[in-house]
Amino acid sequence: MTHRPISTPASETAAWWAHAAVYQIYPRSFSDGNGDGMGDLPGVTARLPYLQQLGVDAVWLSPFYRSPQADGGYDVADYRQVDPAFGTLADFDVMLDGAHSRGLKVIVDLVPNHTSDEHVWFQEALAAEPGSAARERYMFRPGKDEVPGSGDGNIAPNNWKSIFGGPAWTRTTNADGSPGDWYLHLFDTKQPDLNWENPEVWAEMRSVLRFWLDRGVDGFRVDVAHGMVKEAGLPDWEGVAAMVEGSAEAAHVTDPPGAHGEAVEPHTAHASPAGTGAAAGTGASTDSSAGNAAVSTEHEPVSPLYPPSPFFDQDGVHDIYRDWNRVLAGYDGDRMLVAEAWVEPAERLARYIRPDEMQQAFNFDFLLAGWNAQRMAVAIEDSLEAAASVGAPSTWVLSNHDTVRHPSRFGLQDPTTFPKGIAAEDEQPDAVLGLSRARAATLVSLALPGSAYIYQGEELGLPEHTTLPAEARQDPTFFRTNGIERGRDGCRVPLPWKSEAPGYGFAEASTAQDPAAPWLPQPESFEDLAADRQDGVKGSTLELYRSALATRRSHRLGSGTFCWADNHDPQLGVLAFLNRDVLVIANTGAKPAPVPDGYRVALSSAGESGADDAVVAPNSAAYLVAG
């Protein structure tokens, strides 16, 4: 593979978000402050010293708003209240003040595509007549065949399918018991889509933004930022939308488009350069010369933009973000928006971060590249060039609350595979190999210019819970696909803080005499990975993260420069680049990569026992400095 010459100058953006290391907190699984088995805001407050010592610059909290929790809080019933399971508004203020006092910024989630069906607006809509103002806040439509004298409205308004499986339309029942209109829910039935053609929706979300900005939050992560606006007329669509990739592989879909059945392959891989990635099940093997996954190209994924989705990445979303940009501009402190937008190609994603829109967008191409130097190189080049084209910094992320944790993904036979969860009957990852690769990938992501996002527990090297019993699962995707998609529960398991405590110390922050068991069961591997087992232990994953974040800060890598190094050779599995005075080498190949003359290893993902100043071992990475 020939790589494009690329060089980026140091960032001139002084704003904190341009180079921050951000730690994602999934509140229900982070720390239990009252012993009820569920993480909460007091639990977050108790762990702020840990986050400060870790060396991050900001925290991002997944939803903690009042919610029936049908989708882990992404079904919001009240955007201005804390759900009692997580505490109170006073608890939030204490947490926010505590974070700010430690120099930590706070980003909160915003869910603007849909609400909960228990939101007061939707309850008003259900009680109102068809065509009423209350129903105009949502996407209510009559049945496709509802024509006077010829149809009774039994056919859904169009053929769209839910991202979580099954139809995207649910029919209501009128007050007299007769069948009524249908409402759109691109996700669960309990998550009705808002109608962003309605000015009242615009005004409400502006008010929500101001409510939290007035309390002092520093920014918002925008859920499904590529959603909200739908194509006029809501036309039928023969594509298949997915939670992550944006589309299913055509070769893997033998049912009608959008159907979720046994024919849908739940372990799909992302698009990649020919010969550098594969879908699971294609018989990937190891290329002994390079160490990159040698894969079949029999099943090439269809781009999420073809056929174009009528409900994702519509041009109208950019008007919304220009409006929100003006709201944030009225506050001091460099407030920010970061988009969760599963959009391809990188040039189209860059439209979300133009100067008058959002400040950042998650770079999922890098997450989806897997452990493969060629794919990683393409993702880095595309992301840096696209972001630079609009004068914005890029972002780097390896895991989050919607994806299988990368130590487990990288331990699969094909480390570029992107499974929709892993169950006991699926291929089980090689835990040791996966963790060594994950540690190396972390050094890469933290050394790239821009912002880096860390998902809670990855600093402990936590794997996916791959043997979670079906009866313990709670993700709606598992149920709506009849288990074909294993769901996201495996990456949301409560964190282990103390190896010998009940629940591995998940409720250690509470004063409860007999704390309840964590809301999801934890795997036995968490005992050895608990924070207290790694704290202060040289070579542990926790200490590796602390050292890498310290190096990132001291060498100003987040606002630094980028260029490929002379020894960059992705065809041989070697990824090598320079950022300021730090040379980064990641070795995905099968043979040791020599350290160039004049450099010494300052930090190695191989740990104390595996570090060697002469070479970078396979499945490891290192920071090198002159000397």
mmCIF file of all heavy atoms in Angstrom, residues 344-390:
data_model
loop_
_atom_site.group_PDB
_atom_site.id
_atom_site.type_symbol
_atom_site.label_atom_id
_atom_site.label_comp_id
_atom_site.label_asym_id
_atom_site.label_seq_id
_atom_site.Cartn_x
_atom_site.Cartn_y
_atom_site.Cartn_z
ATOM 1 N N GLU A 344 -20.551 8.518 6.390
ATOM 2 C CA GLU A 344 -19.430 8.326 5.475
ATOM 3 C C GLU A 344 -19.721 9.081 4.180
ATOM 4 O O GLU A 344 -20.879 9.313 3.839
ATOM 5 C CB GLU A 344 -19.252 6.835 5.164
ATOM 6 C CG GLU A 344 -18.715 6.008 6.320
ATOM 7 C CD GLU A 344 -18.449 4.574 5.893
ATOM 8 O OE1 GLU A 344 -19.098 4.108 4.935
ATOM 9 O OE2 GLU A 344 -17.601 3.931 6.506
ATOM 10 N N PRO A 345 -18.660 9.458 3.441
ATOM 11 C CA PRO A 345 -17.246 9.380 3.795
ATOM 12 C C PRO A 345 -16.852 10.477 4.779
ATOM 13 O O PRO A 345 -17.691 11.287 5.193
ATOM 14 C CB PRO A 345 -16.548 9.560 2.446
ATOM 15 C CG PRO A 345 -17.485 10.456 1.689
ATOM 16 C CD PRO A 345 -18.868 10.034 2.100
ATOM 17 N N ALA A 346 -15.546 10.521 5.110
ATOM 18 C CA ALA A 346 -15.075 11.492 6.102
ATOM 19 C C ALA A 346 -15.370 12.925 5.671
ATOM 20 O O ALA A 346 -15.640 13.789 6.505
ATOM 21 C CB ALA A 346 -13.576 11.308 6.330
ATOM 22 N N GLU A 347 -15.358 13.179 4.364
ATOM 23 C CA GLU A 347 -15.630 14.528 3.873
ATOM 24 C C GLU A 347 -17.049 14.967 4.226
ATOM 25 O O GLU A 347 -17.304 16.143 4.483
ATOM 26 C CB GLU A 347 -15.425 14.605 2.357
ATOM 27 C CG GLU A 347 -13.981 14.498 1.915
ATOM 28 C CD GLU A 347 -13.484 13.053 1.874
ATOM 29 O OE1 GLU A 347 -14.295 12.125 2.167
ATOM 30 O OE2 GLU A 347 -12.307 12.849 1.566
ATOM 31 N N ARG A 348 -17.983 14.009 4.223
ATOM 32 C CA ARG A 348 -19.356 14.372 4.566
ATOM 33 C C ARG A 348 -19.507 14.577 6.073
ATOM 34 O O ARG A 348 -20.248 15.453 6.512
ATOM 35 C CB ARG A 348 -20.320 13.311 4.058
ATOM 36 C CG ARG A 348 -21.769 13.772 4.094
ATOM 37 C CD ARG A 348 -22.670 13.026 3.141
ATOM 38 N NE ARG A 348 -24.025 13.544 3.204
ATOM 39 C CZ ARG A 348 -24.515 14.502 2.437
ATOM 40 N NH1 ARG A 348 -23.735 15.066 1.526
ATOM 41 N NH2 ARG A 348 -25.762 14.912 2.556
ATOM 42 N N LEU A 349 -18.795 13.782 6.861
ATOM 43 C CA LEU A 349 -18.806 13.987 8.303
ATOM 44 C C LEU A 349 -18.259 15.366 8.654
ATOM 45 O O LEU A 349 -18.737 16.022 9.597
ATOM 46 C CB LEU A 349 -17.981 12.900 8.994
ATOM 47 C CG LEU A 349 -17.893 12.991 10.517
ATOM 48 C CD1 LEU A 349 -19.270 12.821 11.158
ATOM 49 C CD2 LEU A 349 -16.928 11.950 11.063
ATOM 50 N N ALA A 350 -17.290 15.841 7.883
ATOM 51 C CA ALA A 350 -16.672 17.138 8.156
ATOM 52 C C ALA A 350 -17.669 18.283 8.050
ATOM 53 O O ALA A 350 -17.453 19.355 8.645
ATOM 54 C CB ALA A 350 -15.507 17.380 7.196
ATOM 55 N N ARG A 351 -18.765 18.082 7.341
ATOM 56 C CA ARG A 351 -19.764 19.146 7.224
ATOM 57 C C ARG A 351 -20.385 19.478 8.573
ATOM 58 O O ARG A 351 -20.867 20.587 8.793
ATOM 59 C CB ARG A 351 -20.857 18.717 6.232
ATOM 60 C CG ARG A 351 -20.314 18.436 4.832
ATOM 61 C CD ARG A 351 -21.383 17.820 3.935
ATOM 62 N NE ARG A 351 -22.325 18.829 3.464
ATOM 63 C CZ ARG A 351 -23.637 18.743 3.582
ATOM 64 N NH1 ARG A 351 -24.174 17.693 4.182
ATOM 65 N NH2 ARG A 351 -24.425 19.677 3.104
ATOM 66 N N TYR A 352 -20.370 18.516 9.493
ATOM 67 C CA TYR A 352 -20.948 18.751 10.819
ATOM 68 C C TYR A 352 -20.077 19.656 11.679
ATOM 69 O O TYR A 352 -20.555 20.184 12.694
ATOM 70 C CB TYR A 352 -21.173 17.422 11.549
ATOM 71 C CG TYR A 352 -22.299 16.596 10.967
ATOM 72 C CD1 TYR A 352 -22.152 15.900 9.768
ATOM 73 C CD2 TYR A 352 -23.537 16.511 11.606
ATOM 74 C CE1 TYR A 352 -23.184 15.150 9.229
ATOM 75 C CE2 TYR A 352 -24.581 15.760 11.074
ATOM 76 C CZ TYR A 352 -24.392 15.087 9.879
ATOM 77 O OH TYR A 352 -25.418 14.345 9.352
ATOM 78 N N ILE A 353 -18.819 19.819 11.322
ATOM 79 C CA ILE A 353 -17.891 20.588 12.148
ATOM 80 C C ILE A 353 -17.349 21.800 11.406
ATOM 81 O O ILE A 353 -16.236 22.258 11.659
ATOM 82 C CB ILE A 353 -16.743 19.699 12.672
ATOM 83 C CG1 ILE A 353 -16.086 18.905 11.533
ATOM 84 C CG2 ILE A 353 -17.268 18.748 13.740
ATOM 85 C CD1 ILE A 353 -14.886 18.086 11.979
ATOM 86 N N ARG A 354 -18.172 22.322 10.493
ATOM 87 C CA ARG A 354 -17.813 23.596 9.879
ATOM 88 C C ARG A 354 -17.858 24.693 10.939
ATOM 89 O O ARG A 354 -18.486 24.525 11.994
ATOM 90 C CB ARG A 354 -18.760 23.884 8.715
ATOM 91 C CG ARG A 354 -18.502 22.968 7.519
ATOM 92 C CD ARG A 354 -19.490 23.161 6.394
ATOM 93 N NE ARG A 354 -20.834 22.663 6.720
ATOM 94 C CZ ARG A 354 -21.790 22.470 5.816
ATOM 95 N NH1 ARG A 354 -21.550 22.728 4.534
ATOM 96 N NH2 ARG A 354 -22.981 22.025 6.178
ATOM 97 N N PRO A 355 -17.183 25.817 10.709
ATOM 98 C CA PRO A 355 -17.010 26.820 11.766
ATOM 99 C C PRO A 355 -18.293 27.301 12.433
ATOM 100 O O PRO A 355 -18.267 27.697 13.607
ATOM 101 C CB PRO A 355 -16.310 27.970 11.031
ATOM 102 C CG PRO A 355 -15.556 27.297 9.933
ATOM 103 C CD PRO A 355 -16.439 26.169 9.482
ATOM 104 N N ASP A 356 -19.426 27.278 11.727
ATOM 105 C CA ASP A 356 -20.662 27.782 12.322
ATOM 106 C C ASP A 356 -21.591 26.667 12.790
ATOM 107 O O ASP A 356 -22.770 26.905 13.045
ATOM 108 C CB ASP A 356 -21.402 28.681 11.338
ATOM 109 C CG ASP A 356 -21.788 27.971 10.044
ATOM 110 O OD1 ASP A 356 -21.247 26.862 9.789
ATOM 111 O OD2 ASP A 356 -22.624 28.503 9.298
ATOM 112 N N GLU A 357 -21.056 25.428 12.907
ATOM 113 C CA GLU A 357 -21.886 24.318 13.368
ATOM 114 C C GLU A 357 -21.300 23.721 14.648
ATOM 115 O O GLU A 357 -21.057 24.430 15.612
ATOM 116 C CB GLU A 357 -22.045 23.278 12.257
ATOM 117 C CG GLU A 357 -22.800 23.814 11.042
ATOM 118 C CD GLU A 357 -23.210 22.747 10.055
ATOM 119 O OE1 GLU A 357 -23.552 21.629 10.483
ATOM 120 O OE2 GLU A 357 -23.185 23.019 8.842
ATOM 121 N N MET A 358 -21.022 22.429 14.661
ATOM 122 C CA MET A 358 -20.489 21.789 15.854
ATOM 123 C C MET A 358 -18.981 21.988 15.950
ATOM 124 O O MET A 358 -18.318 22.309 14.960
ATOM 125 C CB MET A 358 -20.821 20.297 15.841
ATOM 126 C CG MET A 358 -22.305 20.007 15.964
ATOM 127 S SD MET A 358 -22.550 18.267 16.375
ATOM 128 C CE MET A 358 -24.320 18.243 16.632
ATOM 129 N N GLN A 359 -18.470 21.749 17.152
ATOM 130 C CA GLN A 359 -17.026 21.873 17.347
ATOM 131 C C GLN A 359 -16.302 20.566 17.017
ATOM 132 O O GLN A 359 -15.167 20.590 16.559
ATOM 133 C CB GLN A 359 -16.734 22.260 18.798
ATOM 134 C CG GLN A 359 -16.988 23.724 19.111
ATOM 135 C CD GLN A 359 -18.461 24.099 19.079
ATOM 136 O OE1 GLN A 359 -19.334 23.304 19.439
ATOM 137 N NE2 GLN A 359 -18.760 25.307 18.641
ATOM 138 N N GLN A 360 -16.978 19.421 17.240
ATOM 139 C CA GLN A 360 -16.339 18.127 17.005
ATOM 140 C C GLN A 360 -17.370 17.115 16.526
ATOM 141 O O GLN A 360 -18.576 17.281 16.727
ATOM 142 C CB GLN A 360 -15.711 17.586 18.301
ATOM 143 C CG GLN A 360 -14.513 18.352 18.798
ATOM 144 C CD GLN A 360 -13.879 17.681 20.014
ATOM 145 O OE1 GLN A 360 -14.524 16.928 20.733
ATOM 146 N NE2 GLN A 360 -12.606 17.948 20.227
ATOM 147 N N ALA A 361 -16.864 16.036 15.918
ATOM 148 C CA ALA A 361 -17.681 14.869 15.580
ATOM 149 C C ALA A 361 -16.839 13.637 15.841
ATOM 150 O O ALA A 361 -15.629 13.623 15.564
ATOM 151 C CB ALA A 361 -18.122 14.911 14.120
ATOM 152 N N PHE A 362 -17.459 12.605 16.393
ATOM 153 C CA PHE A 362 -16.714 11.373 16.665
ATOM 154 C C PHE A 362 -16.203 10.764 15.363
ATOM 155 O O PHE A 362 -16.938 10.651 14.381
ATOM 156 C CB PHE A 362 -17.592 10.354 17.391
ATOM 157 C CG PHE A 362 -17.854 10.703 18.819
ATOM 158 C CD1 PHE A 362 -19.145 10.716 19.312
ATOM 159 C CD2 PHE A 362 -16.820 11.022 19.675
ATOM 160 C CE1 PHE A 362 -19.394 11.034 20.634
ATOM 161 C CE2 PHE A 362 -17.059 11.341 20.994
ATOM 162 C CZ PHE A 362 -18.350 11.351 21.478
ATOM 163 N N ASN A 363 -14.947 10.350 15.407
ATOM 164 C CA ASN A 363 -14.288 9.764 14.244
ATOM 165 C C ASN A 363 -14.433 8.244 14.329
ATOM 166 O O ASN A 363 -13.563 7.552 14.840
ATOM 167 C CB ASN A 363 -12.816 10.194 14.251
ATOM 168 C CG ASN A 363 -11.998 9.487 13.202
ATOM 169 O OD1 ASN A 363 -12.524 8.841 12.297
ATOM 170 N ND2 ASN A 363 -10.690 9.587 13.323
ATOM 171 N N PHE A 364 -15.556 7.736 13.835
ATOM 172 C CA PHE A 364 -15.811 6.306 13.956
ATOM 173 C C PHE A 364 -15.024 5.478 12.943
ATOM 174 O O PHE A 364 -14.891 4.262 13.108
ATOM 175 C CB PHE A 364 -17.307 6.032 13.822
ATOM 176 C CG PHE A 364 -18.105 6.588 14.980
ATOM 177 C CD1 PHE A 364 -19.141 7.467 14.767
ATOM 178 C CD2 PHE A 364 -17.803 6.220 16.277
ATOM 179 C CE1 PHE A 364 -19.876 7.972 15.824
ATOM 180 C CE2 PHE A 364 -18.526 6.725 17.351
ATOM 181 C CZ PHE A 364 -19.570 7.607 17.124
ATOM 182 N N ASP A 365 -14.501 6.106 11.894
ATOM 183 C CA ASP A 365 -13.674 5.355 10.954
ATOM 184 C C ASP A 365 -12.471 4.740 11.660
ATOM 185 O O ASP A 365 -12.066 3.616 11.369
ATOM 186 C CB ASP A 365 -13.192 6.261 9.813
ATOM 187 C CG ASP A 365 -14.248 6.433 8.730
ATOM 188 O OD1 ASP A 365 -15.291 5.764 8.819
ATOM 189 O OD2 ASP A 365 -14.024 7.236 7.811
ATOM 190 N N PHE A 366 -11.891 5.489 12.578
ATOM 191 C CA PHE A 366 -10.741 4.972 13.315
ATOM 192 C C PHE A 366 -11.164 3.825 14.231
ATOM 193 O O PHE A 366 -10.481 2.804 14.329
ATOM 194 C CB PHE A 366 -10.091 6.103 14.123
ATOM 195 C CG PHE A 366 -8.843 5.689 14.848
ATOM 196 C CD1 PHE A 366 -7.678 5.420 14.157
ATOM 197 C CD2 PHE A 366 -8.833 5.576 16.240
ATOM 198 C CE1 PHE A 366 -6.513 5.037 14.831
ATOM 199 C CE2 PHE A 366 -7.679 5.203 16.913
ATOM 200 C CZ PHE A 366 -6.524 4.929 16.204
ATOM 201 N N LEU A 367 -12.299 3.975 14.898
ATOM 202 C CA LEU A 367 -12.808 2.906 15.755
ATOM 203 C C LEU A 367 -13.043 1.635 14.947
ATOM 204 O O LEU A 367 -12.747 0.528 15.395
ATOM 205 C CB LEU A 367 -14.097 3.376 16.432
ATOM 206 C CG LEU A 367 -14.800 2.439 17.407
ATOM 207 C CD1 LEU A 367 -15.593 3.255 18.438
ATOM 208 C CD2 LEU A 367 -15.768 1.500 16.697
ATOM 209 N N LEU A 368 -13.602 1.793 13.741
ATOM 210 C CA LEU A 368 -13.977 0.645 12.926
ATOM 211 C C LEU A 368 -12.803 0.028 12.170
ATOM 212 O O LEU A 368 -12.936 -1.053 11.589
ATOM 213 C CB LEU A 368 -15.059 1.060 11.928
ATOM 214 C CG LEU A 368 -16.423 1.407 12.537
ATOM 215 C CD1 LEU A 368 -17.286 2.141 11.527
ATOM 216 C CD2 LEU A 368 -17.131 0.162 13.021
ATOM 217 N N ALA A 369 -11.660 0.695 12.166
ATOM 218 C CA ALA A 369 -10.516 0.181 11.404
ATOM 219 C C ALA A 369 -10.014 -1.142 11.954
ATOM 220 O O ALA A 369 -9.483 -1.978 11.213
ATOM 221 C CB ALA A 369 -9.382 1.210 11.400
ATOM 222 N N GLY A 370 -10.171 -1.355 13.257
ATOM 223 C CA GLY A 370 -9.676 -2.588 13.856
ATOM 224 C C GLY A 370 -8.160 -2.582 13.988
ATOM 225 O O GLY A 370 -7.493 -1.556 13.812
ATOM 226 N N TRP A 371 -7.619 -3.757 14.306
ATOM 227 C CA TRP A 371 -6.173 -3.878 14.497
ATOM 228 C C TRP A 371 -5.544 -4.264 13.170
ATOM 229 O O TRP A 371 -5.311 -5.411 12.862
ATOM 230 C CB TRP A 371 -5.871 -4.905 15.587
ATOM 231 C CG TRP A 371 -4.412 -5.082 15.872
ATOM 232 C CD1 TRP A 371 -3.661 -6.191 15.635
ATOM 233 C CD2 TRP A 371 -3.520 -4.115 16.436
ATOM 234 N NE1 TRP A 371 -2.363 -5.982 16.022
ATOM 235 C CE2 TRP A 371 -2.241 -4.708 16.522
ATOM 236 C CE3 TRP A 371 -3.683 -2.794 16.883
ATOM 237 C CZ2 TRP A 371 -1.143 -4.035 17.034
ATOM 238 C CZ3 TRP A 371 -2.581 -2.124 17.387
ATOM 239 C CH2 TRP A 371 -1.330 -2.742 17.466
ATOM 240 N N ASN A 372 -5.254 -3.259 12.349
ATOM 241 C CA ASN A 372 -4.714 -3.469 11.015
ATOM 242 C C ASN A 372 -4.067 -2.168 10.573
ATOM 243 O O ASN A 372 -4.740 -1.135 10.474
ATOM 244 C CB ASN A 372 -5.833 -3.882 10.054
ATOM 245 C CG ASN A 372 -5.346 -4.108 8.642
ATOM 246 O OD1 ASN A 372 -5.003 -3.158 7.948
ATOM 247 N ND2 ASN A 372 -5.324 -5.354 8.208
ATOM 248 N N ALA A 373 -2.772 -2.195 10.322
ATOM 249 C CA ALA A 373 -2.032 -0.969 10.041
ATOM 250 C C ALA A 373 -2.527 -0.263 8.788
ATOM 251 O O ALA A 373 -2.582 0.966 8.742
ATOM 252 C CB ALA A 373 -0.539 -1.274 9.912
ATOM 253 N N GLN A 374 -2.891 -1.025 7.760
ATOM 254 C CA GLN A 374 -3.348 -0.394 6.522
ATOM 255 C C GLN A 374 -4.672 0.341 6.742
ATOM 256 O O GLN A 374 -4.847 1.482 6.303
ATOM 257 C CB GLN A 374 -3.494 -1.440 5.421
ATOM 258 C CG GLN A 374 -2.168 -2.076 5.013
ATOM 259 C CD GLN A 374 -2.345 -3.059 3.879
ATOM 260 O OE1 GLN A 374 -2.704 -2.682 2.774
ATOM 261 N NE2 GLN A 374 -2.092 -4.332 4.137
ATOM 262 N N ARG A 375 -5.592 -0.318 7.407
ATOM 263 C CA ARG A 375 -6.884 0.317 7.670
ATOM 264 C C ARG A 375 -6.739 1.503 8.617
ATOM 265 O O ARG A 375 -7.386 2.542 8.460
ATOM 266 C CB ARG A 375 -7.854 -0.719 8.247
ATOM 267 C CG ARG A 375 -8.314 -1.764 7.259
ATOM 268 C CD ARG A 375 -9.003 -2.936 7.961
ATOM 269 N NE ARG A 375 -10.105 -2.512 8.795
ATOM 270 C CZ ARG A 375 -11.393 -2.634 8.464
ATOM 271 N NH1 ARG A 375 -11.720 -3.171 7.303
ATOM 272 N NH2 ARG A 375 -12.342 -2.239 9.282
ATOM 273 N N MET A 376 -5.886 1.362 9.637
ATOM 274 C CA MET A 376 -5.659 2.455 10.569
ATOM 275 C C MET A 376 -5.057 3.662 9.853
ATOM 276 O O MET A 376 -5.442 4.806 10.106
ATOM 277 C CB MET A 376 -4.752 1.992 11.702
ATOM 278 C CG MET A 376 -5.390 0.945 12.615
ATOM 279 S SD MET A 376 -4.204 0.158 13.750
ATOM 280 C CE MET A 376 -3.997 1.456 14.968
ATOM 281 N N ALA A 377 -4.113 3.402 8.948
ATOM 282 C CA ALA A 377 -3.470 4.491 8.218
ATOM 283 C C ALA A 377 -4.469 5.246 7.357
ATOM 284 O O ALA A 377 -4.465 6.484 7.308
ATOM 285 C CB ALA A 377 -2.329 3.943 7.360
ATOM 286 N N VAL A 378 -5.339 4.519 6.668
ATOM 287 C CA VAL A 378 -6.359 5.161 5.832
ATOM 288 C C VAL A 378 -7.293 6.001 6.694
ATOM 289 O O VAL A 378 -7.631 7.139 6.350
ATOM 290 C CB VAL A 378 -7.144 4.102 5.035
ATOM 291 C CG1 VAL A 378 -8.362 4.732 4.357
ATOM 292 C CG2 VAL A 378 -6.252 3.449 3.997
ATOM 293 N N ALA A 379 -7.726 5.448 7.833
ATOM 294 C CA ALA A 379 -8.638 6.174 8.711
ATOM 295 C C ALA A 379 -7.990 7.448 9.245
ATOM 296 O O ALA A 379 -8.634 8.503 9.328
ATOM 297 C CB ALA A 379 -9.081 5.282 9.871
ATOM 298 N N ILE A 380 -6.708 7.361 9.613
ATOM 299 C CA ILE A 380 -6.005 8.539 10.126
ATOM 300 C C ILE A 380 -5.878 9.604 9.046
ATOM 301 O O ILE A 380 -6.164 10.787 9.270
ATOM 302 C CB ILE A 380 -4.623 8.133 10.670
ATOM 303 C CG1 ILE A 380 -4.780 7.308 11.946
ATOM 304 C CG2 ILE A 380 -3.762 9.371 10.941
ATOM 305 C CD1 ILE A 380 -3.496 6.645 12.422
ATOM 306 N N GLU A 381 -5.448 9.191 7.856
ATOM 307 C CA GLU A 381 -5.290 10.153 6.763
ATOM 308 C C GLU A 381 -6.611 10.824 6.404
ATOM 309 O O GLU A 381 -6.700 12.055 6.297
ATOM 310 C CB GLU A 381 -4.715 9.442 5.541
ATOM 311 C CG GLU A 381 -3.266 9.027 5.687
ATOM 312 C CD GLU A 381 -2.775 8.215 4.501
ATOM 313 O OE1 GLU A 381 -3.607 7.786 3.685
ATOM 314 O OE2 GLU A 381 -1.551 8.003 4.386
ATOM 315 N N ASP A 382 -7.635 10.000 6.206
ATOM 316 C CA ASP A 382 -8.931 10.553 5.817
ATOM 317 C C ASP A 382 -9.469 11.506 6.876
ATOM 318 O O ASP A 382 -10.006 12.575 6.554
ATOM 319 C CB ASP A 382 -9.937 9.422 5.585
ATOM 320 C CG ASP A 382 -9.667 8.638 4.308
ATOM 321 O OD1 ASP A 382 -8.803 9.080 3.515
ATOM 322 O OD2 ASP A 382 -10.311 7.589 4.112
ATOM 323 N N SER A 383 -9.330 11.129 8.127
ATOM 324 C CA SER A 383 -9.885 11.933 9.218
ATOM 325 C C SER A 383 -9.159 13.260 9.365
ATOM 326 O O SER A 383 -9.790 14.310 9.511
ATOM 327 C CB SER A 383 -9.815 11.151 10.523
ATOM 328 O OG SER A 383 -10.543 9.939 10.414
ATOM 329 N N LEU A 384 -7.832 13.234 9.333
ATOM 330 C CA LEU A 384 -7.065 14.465 9.479
ATOM 331 C C LEU A 384 -7.308 15.410 8.303
ATOM 332 O O LEU A 384 -7.463 16.624 8.487
ATOM 333 C CB LEU A 384 -5.579 14.150 9.609
ATOM 334 C CG LEU A 384 -5.130 13.524 10.931
ATOM 335 C CD1 LEU A 384 -3.665 13.133 10.873
ATOM 336 C CD2 LEU A 384 -5.376 14.485 12.099
ATOM 337 N N GLU A 385 -7.348 14.863 7.100
ATOM 338 C CA GLU A 385 -7.557 15.705 5.930
ATOM 339 C C GLU A 385 -8.953 16.302 5.909
ATOM 340 O O GLU A 385 -9.137 17.481 5.581
ATOM 341 C CB GLU A 385 -7.282 14.903 4.661
ATOM 342 C CG GLU A 385 -5.810 14.561 4.464
ATOM 343 C CD GLU A 385 -5.544 13.765 3.201
ATOM 344 O OE1 GLU A 385 -6.528 13.327 2.558
ATOM 345 O OE2 GLU A 385 -4.371 13.578 2.865
ATOM 346 N N ALA A 386 -9.969 15.503 6.252
ATOM 347 C CA ALA A 386 -11.338 16.006 6.236
ATOM 348 C C ALA A 386 -11.533 17.080 7.298
ATOM 349 O O ALA A 386 -12.159 18.121 7.043
ATOM 350 C CB ALA A 386 -12.316 14.861 6.455
ATOM 351 N N ALA A 387 -10.999 16.842 8.504
ATOM 352 C CA ALA A 387 -11.133 17.833 9.569
ATOM 353 C C ALA A 387 -10.395 19.122 9.204
ATOM 354 O O ALA A 387 -10.902 20.225 9.419
ATOM 355 C CB ALA A 387 -10.616 17.266 10.888
ATOM 356 N N ALA A 388 -9.200 18.979 8.635
ATOM 357 C CA ALA A 388 -8.417 20.158 8.263
ATOM 358 C C ALA A 388 -9.113 20.980 7.191
ATOM 359 O O ALA A 388 -8.963 22.204 7.139
ATOM 360 C CB ALA A 388 -7.030 19.738 7.796
ATOM 361 N N SER A 389 -9.893 20.323 6.344
ATOM 362 C CA SER A 389 -10.565 21.032 5.255
ATOM 363 C C SER A 389 -11.587 22.041 5.761
ATOM 364 O O SER A 389 -11.959 22.974 5.041
ATOM 365 C CB SER A 389 -11.255 20.030 4.321
ATOM 366 O OG SER A 389 -12.392 19.447 4.929
ATOM 367 N N VAL A 390 -12.056 21.871 7.004
ATOM 368 C CA VAL A 390 -13.000 22.819 7.590
ATOM 369 C C VAL A 390 -12.408 23.503 8.821
ATOM 370 O O VAL A 390 -13.124 24.133 9.594
ATOM 371 C CB VAL A 390 -14.333 22.116 7.958
ATOM 372 C CG1 VAL A 390 -15.075 21.700 6.709
ATOM 373 C CG2 VAL A 390 -14.098 20.916 8.873
#
